[in-house]
Amino acid sequence: MTTPVPNASQDRERRTFQMDGIDVPFDEGQSILEAALAAGKYVPYLCFHPEFKAHGSCKVCTVKVNGRMHASCTTPAHEGDVVESNVDELNDVRKTLVQFLFTEGNHFCPSCEASGSCTLQAVAYDLGMTTAHYSPLFPDRPLDASHPDVLLDFNRCILCELCVRASAIVDKKSVFALSGRGITKHLVVSSESGKLVDTALAVTDKAMSVCPVGVILRKREGFKIPIGERKYDAHPIREVAVAPHDKE
Ligand code: SF4
Ligand code: FES
C-alpha cells in the first residue's frame, strides 16, 4: 500500500498565516511554532519538543498574534492570522525570560558538560545575551551522583518538564517530577529515598535524551564530543532548529 502524496494543486491550497510579512503554510492542528519551524522560520523556544504535546511553560516562544501575545507552541495556527515574531519588542521579552533563567539557577557554561549543545545557552547567544543582567540567586542545589551510570546536576534545571513527561509517557517509569510552586518549584526524583539510584532509570530511557540543558548526564562520557564540535558550535540554533538533522 502506498502513502498518498499531496499533488501540487493540493499543496497550493494549503492554508497560510503571515509571520513577519511572509506567508507560512500550516496543516490542520499545527501550532504556530510547529508551522513556522516546518517552513524554515525560526522562533526561539525552550520547553517545546516535537515528540511531546506542548504545555507552554517557558514563554520564550511568545509571538504576537493579531496584536496579542501568545505562546506560539500552544497556539493553533489559523488562516489569515498576522503573526509578529522577530521584532525587537518580542526579542527583548525573550531575552529577559532567558536572563531570569540564568539568574534563577547556577549556569556556569565554561565548566558545563552541555556547553555547545545546550539549548538555553544557544538561545541566549541568539538573543544577544552577554550577561545575566540580574543578580544571581545562587541557589543551593546538591548533585545526585547515586546512580551508577547517571549524574544529576539540578543546578541547571530550567523546569521544562521534558524529562518528567518522557519518563512518564515513553518510559512508563515516572522517575522525575516537579515539586513546589513559584520560586520554590524544583525537580525531584520520585523514589522513597529521593535518590536516583533507587529508581528504574536506565541510560537507554527517553528521559536521558530530552533535557535541553546539562542536568541529566551519563557518567564516564564527559566531553566525549570535544568543545568546538558540538551541536550549536558548527551552526547557530536558528539554523539547527529549522533543520534538526544529525547533530548530538
Ligand atoms: S532536568 Fe532537564 S529536562 Fe528535566 S525539567 Fe530540568 S531542564 Fe527540563
Ligand atoms: S516553547 Fe513555548 S512556552 Fe516554552
Side-chain angles (χ1 to χ4, degrees), residues 19-20 32-33 36 41-46 58-64 69-73 83-102 120 123-124 126-129 134 238:
M19 177 177 270
D20 297 336
I32 289 174
L33 179 64
K41 202 147 174 20
Y42 174 64
V43 177
Y45 64 86
L46 285 175
C58 77
K59 308 297 185 214
V60 169
C61 69
T62 295
V63 294
K64 268 191 175 178
M69 292 214 193
H70 292 274
S72 62
C73 66
V83 179
E84 293 168 70
S85 176
N86 191 18
V87 294
D88 288 349
E89 179 191 1
L90 292 169
N91 285 329
D92 286 348
V93 170
R94 294 165 177 151
K95 191 161 138 184
T96 300
L97 290 168
V98 170
Q99 284 171 323
F100 279 151
L101 289 173
F102 271 89
L120 179 68
V123 168
D126 182 75
L127 292 169
M129 183 187 139
Y134 303 101
R238 61 177 49 245

Side-chain angles (χ1 to χ4, degrees), residues 156-163 178 187 210-213 215-216:
R156 303 158 182 162
C157 183
I158 58 170
L159 307 174
C160 71
E161 286 192 47
L162 285 173
C163 63
L178 294 187
L187 183 72
V210 294
C211 183
V213 290
V215 179
I216 307 171

Side-chain angles (χ1 to χ4, degrees), residues 144 147 150-154 157 161-169 171-179 186-191 194-197 199-202 205-211 215-217:
D144 182 340
H147 192 286
V150 182
L151 172 71
L152 280 186
D153 189 336
F154 296 100
C157 183
E161 286 192 47
L162 285 173
C163 63
V164 177
R165 287 180 281 162
S167 185
I169 298 166
D171 305 329
K172 312 283 186 212
K173 295 180 181 176
S174 295
V175 167
F176 301 105
L178 294 187
S179 177
H186 61 287
L187 183 72
V188 294
V189 171
S190 301
S191 65
K195 292 291 180 190
L196 201 58
V197 69
T199 71
L201 183 77
D205 285 357
K206 185 71 181 174
M208 289 294 301
S209 65
V210 294
C211 183
V215 179
I216 307 171
L217 301 170

Side-chain angles (χ1 to χ4, degrees), residues 188-248:
V188 294
V189 171
S190 301
S191 65
E192 205 169 320
S193 65
K195 292 291 180 190
L196 201 58
V197 69
D198 295 323
T199 71
L201 183 77
V203 288
T204 49
D205 285 357
K206 185 71 181 174
M208 289 294 301
S209 65
V210 294
C211 183
V213 290
V215 179
I216 307 171
L217 301 170
R218 288 177 181 228
K219 289 183 175 176
R220 298 175 294 280
E221 291 194 3
F223 295 90
K224 194 173 173 185
I225 301 174
I227 296 284
E229 296 176 20
R230 296 177 171 199
K231 190 173 181 180
Y232 303 116
D233 287 334
H235 302 277
I237 192 166
R238 61 177 49 245
E239 289 177 20
V240 177
V242 296
H245 25 268
D246 47 6
K247 323 274 178 349
E248 200 13 68

